[in-house]
Amino acid sequence: MNKDCYIAEDLLPLYNEDLLQDETAVWLEDHLKSCKSCRDLSHLSKEPVEKGTVYSSVDHDKMFAKINLKLSVYQIIFVALSFFFAMKTSLLNESFGFILSYAVLGFATYFFYQRLMIVITIAFLPTFLWSLAQSVNESVSVSEAIWGASFLALIHLLFAIIGSLVAFLLLKFKKEGK
Ligand SMILES: [Zn+2]
């Protein structure tokens, strides 16, 4: 299996649930046309791969569990990485390295997931929580701590979104250039 096949395998359940973006679905359909093993896999989960058909079977559940497991491994890595960024390179340490690291984090996250919600979660939450945890040590009021944490997290999110935007444009150009 090459890299495309792993991606195709990950995408199949989403495809079957009609959750892919059009361009991703087209890519997957192209891949299925040219790749027998992935085509077989898609036949395992349901008969012909057609957009918009809902199916439910034991195979589907099994495959979904497998894919969820794979995705969650990546998610754990991303979340760990984002917490690391939040603790090490955020403004909390009076370091401006976060401008670059959060742009990179946003870029990587969007590149893999193509979901802005995941970028927002990964960029916002760890900084927010870490900042909140920090302010427990300082004697500030709860509302002050929450406002402060939100503000900090938003700044970091902004750079992550800039990174995502770059990833979005890159993916767009890549597809158009095909
Ligand atoms: Zn394949």
Side-chain angles (χ1 to χ4, degrees), residues 1-6 8-9 27 31-32 34-39:
M1 282 216 328
N2 63 30
K3 193 176 153 241
D4 280 356
C5 293
Y6 286 113
E9 196 182 320
W27 177 87
H31 181 79
L32 290 179
S34 64
C35 176
K36 191 178 178 305
S37 66
C38 287
R39 206 159 53 236

